[in-house]
Amino acid sequence: MSVLTAPSLSTRAPETPRKGGRLRVLDGLRLLAALLVVLFHYTRLGGWPDAERTFPVLGAIAPYAWLGVELFFLISGFVICMSAWGKPLTAFVRSRVVRLFPAYWFCVLATGAFLLLPGLPVEGDRPTVSQILSNLTMAQSSLGVDDVDHSYWTLWSELRFYLLFALVAWFGVTRKRVVAFCWLWTLAAVLAPAAGLPVFSLLANPLYAPLFISGIAFYLIRRDGPRQGSPWALLGVNWLLAQHSMIEVAKVYSTDTHRMSWTVCVAVVTAFYVLMAAVALGYLDRVDWRWLTTGGAISYPLYLIHQAIGVHLIHLWREHFPPWTLLLTTVALMVAVAWLIHRYVERPGGALLRRAFG
């Protein structure tokens, strides 16, 4: 399995990578993003009275590990544009359904069944059967239904991104159309907060649009070389929008005892931009270890399955095991479960859906 060839410094687009080629460094970044989110949920929601003192080594990292979601969105913009290039709309839609739904359906049902078990410590998380069934659509947010697992909120942002990018796939993905799409979406993200139109704001997704758009811009740099001006201009404008969004996003994650620092949030997001720029420019192509492919493959099921089940297990076992032992064991258990989901649910389920689509 070969790595996508790094672009030359000319403006000529490199050859399209052959089927099966992939950037393993992106797989590694996916896994990093998933583990950051896992770390945040387990340390902040695990019920330890003072997580920073309980896990002193992680004390400086854990409160801001939720920013792994921002890295996910940057990678998503890059990967979706890359995977949709040269494909018709039907192929784009089929690839998204096959990629997202088998693992998601399983995790919704598994998490829902787990939360219905008697004797769990957090009774408020117990879903109804209707809630579980509604979650199978992945559109529960638009239906006013709570997520079975609170991590699923990001999928609604992803779905809106796919819906918008499907317009590009409908007309045919070309550099000119992708650049135009990105500028129009950037404009919509700027206007949406003041427009007073809920549907407009819903589609424009002003809080997270800058990250998806930036990911697309990084792919354009990867594909066409660094001398094209439009992607860099898009990155500059959308970084400015992203740093502004951090004001509102940080408020969501602030608590009475721990207020998120805007400076730290912006510094971390900027570091993610630098990482993605290094990927786009080919500086990280040597990060090509085979195990990263598996790491990237399990990142999605790990994200889907880890929060509700893992946090409840920590609450159940917190009084019986030392904190570090419990934290590492729970992470290892969820990683193993994620691999099993990928191997025995995601892969065969994806194959069945591909055959169903013809």
Side-chain angles (χ1 to χ4, degrees):
M1 189 176 293
S2 65
V3 173
L4 192 65
T5 304
S8 67
L9 293 180
S10 70
T11 58
R12 180 177 63 83
E15 293 183 1
T16 303
R18 67 177 179 269
K19 186 175 181 180
R22 65 187 300 125
L23 280 165
R24 287 199 180 100
V25 65
L26 284 181
D27 290 322
L29 291 178
R30 278 198 195 99
L31 181 60
L32 170 64
L35 289 174
L36 284 173
V37 175
V38 171
L39 172 65
F40 174 75
H41 287 147
Y42 287 0
T43 57
R44 305 295 288 181
L45 304 178
W48 287 289
D50 191 342
E52 282 77 12
R53 292 185 179 181
T54 304
F55 305 103
V57 177
L58 302 178
I61 301 172
Y64 292 92
W66 54 270
L67 287 162
V69 169
E70 273 62 20
L71 179 56
F72 265 130
F73 289 160
L74 282 169
I75 295 170
S76 182
F78 189 109
V79 171
I80 292 305
C81 187
M82 177 173 64
S83 62
W85 210 282
K87 294 180 180 177
L89 175 61
T90 53
F92 172 72
V93 172
R94 179 170 60 247
S95 69
R96 291 300 86 206
V97 171
V98 167
R99 175 71 180 94
L100 292 181
F101 278 98
Y104 176 73
W105 286 331
F106 176 85
C107 290
V108 168
L109 294 174
T111 301
F114 177 86
L115 293 176
L116 289 174
L117 293 174
L120 291 180
V122 186
E123 293 294 330
D125 284 344
R126 193 176 299 279
T128 65
V129 173
S130 177
Q131 181 184 346
I132 295 170
L133 295 175
S134 297
N135 269 247
L136 293 174
T137 67
M138 206 183 284
Q140 59 270 18
S141 294
S142 67
L143 301 174
V145 177
D146 290 337
D147 296 312
V148 169
D149 188 302
H150 299 309
S151 294
Y152 296 168
W153 71 266
T154 61
L155 300 177
W156 183 230
S157 284
E158 291 276 354
L159 282 180
R160 284 177 282 168
F161 168 42
Y162 301 158
L163 178 63
L164 292 175
F165 202 80
L167 295 173
V168 185
W170 186 16
F171 289 102
V173 181
T174 65
R175 183 183 181 280
K176 184 176 180 180
R177 287 169 181 157
V178 169
V179 169
F181 165 79
C182 288
W183 281 118
L184 287 172
W185 193 9
T186 300
L187 179 62
V190 171
L191 296 177
L197 299 172
V199 174
F200 184 34
S201 184
L202 180 71
L203 290 174
N205 195 7
L207 278 182
Y208 297 108
L211 299 170
F212 291 115
I213 296 167
S214 295
I216 294 172
F218 281 125
Y219 176 66
L220 292 177
I221 293 169
R222 176 79 191 192
R223 179 181 176 84
D224 298 329
R227 294 183 180 176
Q228 300 289 331
S230 293
W232 294 109
L234 281 166
L235 285 171
V237 171
N238 280 281
W239 180 87
L240 291 173
L241 296 177
Q243 64 81 26
H244 174 70
S245 295
M246 284 298 102
I247 298 173
E248 295 301 319
V249 177
K251 290 179 182 177
V252 175
Y253 291 94
S254 294
T255 64
D256 294 337
T257 58
H258 197 292
R259 185 172 181 82
M260 295 294 160
S261 166
W262 171 87
T263 302
V264 173
C265 292
V266 173
V268 174
V269 170
T270 301
F272 292 157
Y273 269 70
V274 172
L275 272 175
M276 292 300 295
V279 173
L281 294 170
Y283 295 153
L284 297 180
D285 284 1
R286 291 186 179 181
V287 182
D288 191 33
W289 309 310
R290 289 184 178 275
W291 66 267
L292 290 177
T293 301
T294 301
I298 68 170
S299 61
Y300 178 55
L302 175 61
Y303 183 83
L304 293 175
I305 200 68
H306 82 275
Q307 184 176 347
I309 294 177
V311 169
H312 279 80
L313 290 178
I314 289 172
H315 277 264
L316 286 169
W317 296 336
R318 192 176 59 230
E319 305 300 325
H320 306 287
F321 296 95
W324 271 105
T325 301
L326 180 55
L327 176 64
L328 295 177
T329 300
T330 306
V331 172
L333 175 63
M334 290 296 105
V335 168
V337 171
W339 183 85
L340 291 172
I341 293 170
H342 168 66
R343 177 63 181 84
Y344 295 105
V345 176
E346 195 171 30
R347 286 169 58 180
L352 286 174
L353 282 180
R354 285 190 196 95
R355 288 197 290 270
F357 272 109

